[in-house]
């Protein structure tokens, strides 16, 4: 650390957060490029991997896309073999979108080594330090979400 001065440390932390955001953005761009998709398609695949399945309307809400945009996105991902669409067993008027084994395997190849390195990196922290980091990232995410809503209004 460059200084014990709180204001200097806060500025340094802010600079590192911006640098991290840029690095994550660059990684996501490279991942999308490797998969042959655009960034919105990559975000959709991430949502599907987290949820395991979703209705197109849920994806539209999560991605802030119109119905037509979701349809075009799903058509692209379907052509690439990254998703399946099937009728919802509970309501046959709806469909359910799921990632394919091909998508899961590709995501594991791209993101798996990053996750493994990340787990090794955080293993050096104590339980109290991990709790502090978790609090920081959770409140930072909530801050970003609040300000995203603010600028959308």
């Amino acid at each position: 650390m460059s200084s014990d001065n709180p204001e200097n440390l806060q500025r340094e932390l802010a600079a590192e957060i911006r640098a991290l955001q840029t690095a994550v953005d660059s990684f996501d761009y490279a991942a999308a490029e490797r998969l042959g998709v655009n960034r919105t398609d990559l975000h959709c695949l991430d949502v599907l991997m987290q949820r395991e399945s979703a209705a197109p309307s849920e994806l539209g809400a999560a991605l802030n896309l119109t119905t037509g945009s979701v349809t075009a996105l799903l058509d692209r991902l379907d052509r690439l073999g990254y998703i399946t669409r099937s009728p919802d067993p509970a309501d046959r008027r709806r469909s359910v979108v799921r990632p394919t084994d091909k998508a899961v395997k590709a995501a594991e190849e791209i993101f798996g080594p990053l996750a493994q390195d990340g787990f090794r990196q955080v293993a050096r922290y104590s339980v109290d330090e991990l709790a502090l980091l978790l609090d920081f990232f959770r409140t930072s995410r909530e801050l970003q979400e609040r300000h995203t809503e603010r600028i959308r209004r």
Side-chain angles (χ1 to χ4, degrees), residues 96-110:
V96 176
V97 181
R98 291 181 178 83
T100 62
D101 289 342
K102 176 183 177 180
V104 172
K105 184 175 186 250
E108 287 173 356
E109 288 173 1
I110 292 169

Side-chain angles (χ1 to χ4, degrees), residues 42-54 58-59 62-63:
L42 181 69
H43 188 189
C44 179
L45 287 171
D46 183 44
V47 169
L48 285 172
M49 299 284 179
Q50 290 177 49
R51 297 181 185 187
E52 296 182 11
S53 68
E58 295 168 332
L59 293 171
L63 303 169

Side-chain angles (χ1 to χ4, degrees), residues 115-126 129-130 133 137:
Q116 291 168 2
D117 281 354
F119 282 120
R120 281 192 291 275
Q121 182 176 324
V122 298
R124 66 190 178 122
Y125 295 107
S126 70
E129 290 169 327
L130 288 171
L133 289 168
F137 281 104

Side-chain angles (χ1 to χ4, degrees), residues 17-119:
I17 291 169
R18 287 184 78 181
L20 173 60
Q21 289 174 322
T22 299
V24 169
D25 192 55
S26 294
F27 186 88
D28 285 349
Y29 181 83
E33 210 170 44
R34 170 70 70 89
L35 290 170
V37 299
N38 65 43
R39 298 289 298 280
T40 304
D41 296 355
L42 181 69
H43 188 189
C44 179
L45 287 171
D46 183 44
V47 169
L48 285 172
M49 299 284 179
Q50 290 177 49
R51 297 181 185 187
E52 296 182 11
S53 68
S57 60
E58 295 168 332
L59 293 171
L63 303 169
N64 199 33
L65 295 175
T66 65
T67 303
S69 295
V70 171
T71 300
L73 179 152
L74 294 178
D75 287 346
R76 286 191 303 274
L77 293 176
D78 194 14
R79 275 193 304 275
L80 291 166
Y82 291 141
I83 63 155
T84 61
R85 293 183 269 197
S86 57
D88 184 336
D91 182 352
R92 306 228 9 119
R93 294 168 296 176
R94 293 176 20 125
S95 63
V96 176
V97 181
R98 291 181 178 83
T100 62
D101 289 342
K102 176 183 177 180
V104 172
K105 184 175 186 250
E108 287 173 356
E109 288 173 1
I110 292 169
F111 295 97
L114 176 65
Q116 291 168 2
D117 281 354
F119 282 120

Side-chain angles (χ1 to χ4, degrees), residues 1-9:
M1 296 192 183
S2 61
S3 169
D4 289 332
N5 179 326
E7 289 177 9
N8 288 344
L9 288 173

